[in-house]
Amino acid sequence: MKKTEEILQQQYVTATDLMIIIPKLNYNRALIFINEMREEMKQKGYFVPNSKTKVALTKLFKKKFGL
């Protein structure tokens, strides 16, 4: 299982990663956060990977949650 420090060093985070960082977060809510950050990525002109597992930039996550 990944640790918080490892996750924060990655370029992208998944909903499952968010659940590790914020233990009380459920999967559906984590997915909502990922989708919000993906929209922000599109608006800012960042590359949004098209993969089965939805991911968002870790730097946007850190900014949004003040980490």
Side-chain angles (χ1 to χ4, degrees):
M1 188 162 150
K2 295 182 196 174
K3 297 187 181 210
T4 302
E5 299 83 28
E6 292 175 48
I7 295 168
L8 294 176
Q9 297 300 317
Q10 298 174 164
Q11 186 170 6
Y12 293 99
V13 291
T14 65
T16 308
D17 292 338
L18 297 186
M19 290 170 48
I20 294 170
I21 296 170
I22 307 168
K24 294 187 178 186
L25 192 64
N26 68 30
Y27 184 79
N28 288 332
R29 188 69 181 140
L31 203 53
I32 290 169
F33 287 136
I34 292 289
N35 287 329
E36 288 174 2
M37 288 185 276
R38 287 172 64 90
E39 277 302 313
E40 186 176 341
M41 288 167 62
K42 287 178 189 172
Q43 291 171 359
K44 291 185 176 184
Y46 293 134
F47 171 70
V48 180
N50 189 12
S51 60
K52 184 175 180 181
T53 304
K54 290 188 176 183
V55 295
L57 282 171
T58 303
K59 71 178 185 178
L60 292 180
F61 168 74
K62 288 179 180 178
K63 184 178 168 186
K64 182 175 185 121
F65 289 91
L67 299 175

